[in-house]
Amino acid sequence: MSGSSYTYDDGSGLAALAFLIVLLPLLLISLFAGYIISSFFLMKIFEKAGVQGKWRAWVPIYNTLVAAKLGDVSPWAYLIVVVGASVLSNIPVIGFVFGLVAVAASVVVAWRIGLKFGKDWPLLLLWLIPGVGTLIWLGILAFGSARWNPAIAPAPWANTVAADKTVWDGVPVQPGQQVSGPGYGGPGYGGPGYGGPAAPPASGMTPPPAPGTTPPPPAPPQY
C-alpha cells in the first residue's frame, strides 16, 4: 500500500549476537591459556639463562623486555618500536613501517636466543607461526637438552642504538655487552661466562695469590 513501510528481519542479528556470546568466552580462555603456557616456558628459558627470580617470566611486557635483553637488543628500543607499531597501526605507511620494524625486532631477538641454545635459524619458522608455532618454539628451548651458551659472536648491531647497554639487577650481562647504569656488578652479574668484572677485595684484606705462585712471607710484627 502507498505510504506503508515494511521491515524484514531474518534473525541474522540475533544469530550473530548468540555467536559472539559463545565465541568471546572461548577466545578469552584461549588467550589466558596461551599466556600461562608461554610464561611457564619463558620461566624455564630464563632459568637456563641465569636470570634470577621466576616472577620475571610472569609479568606481561616486562618478560618480553627481559627476553629482548637475552637476545642482545636494547629493551627500551624494543619497547619503543612495539608501542609505536601499536599506536600508529592505523596510520598509512608509517604504521606499516613500524609494524615491519616490530616484527623484525622480534625475529632477531628470537634468533639470538636460539643461537645461544645452539639452534639454527630454520627453527624460527616455527616461531613465525602465530599461536601454536610460537609455543612449540618456546617449549623446545625450555625443555630441550641444549644448554645456554652466551659466548657466541657479537650481534651485528652491537655498536648501534639497538644494542643492549642497560643493567637490570638479576638479569645477567651478556659477554661483550657494554653496560651503563647503577648496580653493575650486583647480584645476577659477573657470573661465570657473562663477562662481568671481578669484585675488588674488601678493604684491609690481601687478595689471594695467583694459581701456581708462592705467597710472600708475612711482614714481621712492629714493636
Side-chain angles (χ1 to χ4, degrees):
M1 293 177 65
S2 176
S4 300
S5 60
Y6 296 91
T7 58
Y8 175 74
D9 185 4
D10 59 356
S12 59
L14 292 177
L17 180 60
F19 179 75
L20 287 177
I21 292 176
V22 173
L23 179 63
L24 186 58
L26 294 177
L27 179 61
L28 293 177
I29 292 173
S30 299
L31 292 176
F32 181 73
Y35 167 76
I36 295 296
I37 295 173
S38 62
S39 296
F40 179 72
F41 288 168
L42 278 177
M43 182 182 70
K44 295 298 183 181
I45 292 172
F46 288 179
E47 287 179 353
K48 287 186 174 184
V51 176
Q52 297 180 358
K54 296 181 179 180
W55 61 269
R56 300 177 192 272
W58 297 91
V59 181
I61 301 176
Y62 177 69
N63 55 9
T64 304
L65 300 183
V66 173
K69 284 181 61 62
L70 296 179
D72 304 321
V73 173
S74 167
W76 307 120
Y78 185 81
L79 181 63
I80 290 172
V81 168
V82 173
V83 172
S86 300
V87 173
L88 303 175
S89 60
N90 293 325
I91 300 179
V93 181
I94 296 178
F96 178 75
V97 171
F98 262 86
L100 289 180
V101 174
V103 171
S106 299
V107 168
V108 297
V109 166
W111 168 59
R112 293 292 294 181
I113 291 176
L115 284 180
K116 293 175 183 180
F117 278 108
K119 305 299 182 182
D120 294 328
W121 67 265
L123 189 64
L124 281 176
L125 297 178
L126 275 176
W127 181 88
L128 291 173
I129 302 174
V132 176
T134 303
L135 292 178
I136 294 175
W137 180 84
L138 289 172
I140 291 174
L141 299 187
F143 294 100
S145 59
R147 300 175 63 87
W148 178 260
N149 176 26
I152 62 176
W157 57 88
N159 296 319
T160 69
V161 69
D164 179 28
K165 300 178 182 179
T166 57
V167 171
W168 286 351
D169 191 29
V171 182
V173 174
Q174 305 300 296
Q177 176 182 338
Q178 298 178 358
V179 298
S180 61
Y184 182 48
Y189 304 97
Y194 290 104
S203 176
M205 297 181 61
T206 303
T213 61
T214 303
Q222 301 293 328
Y223 298 100

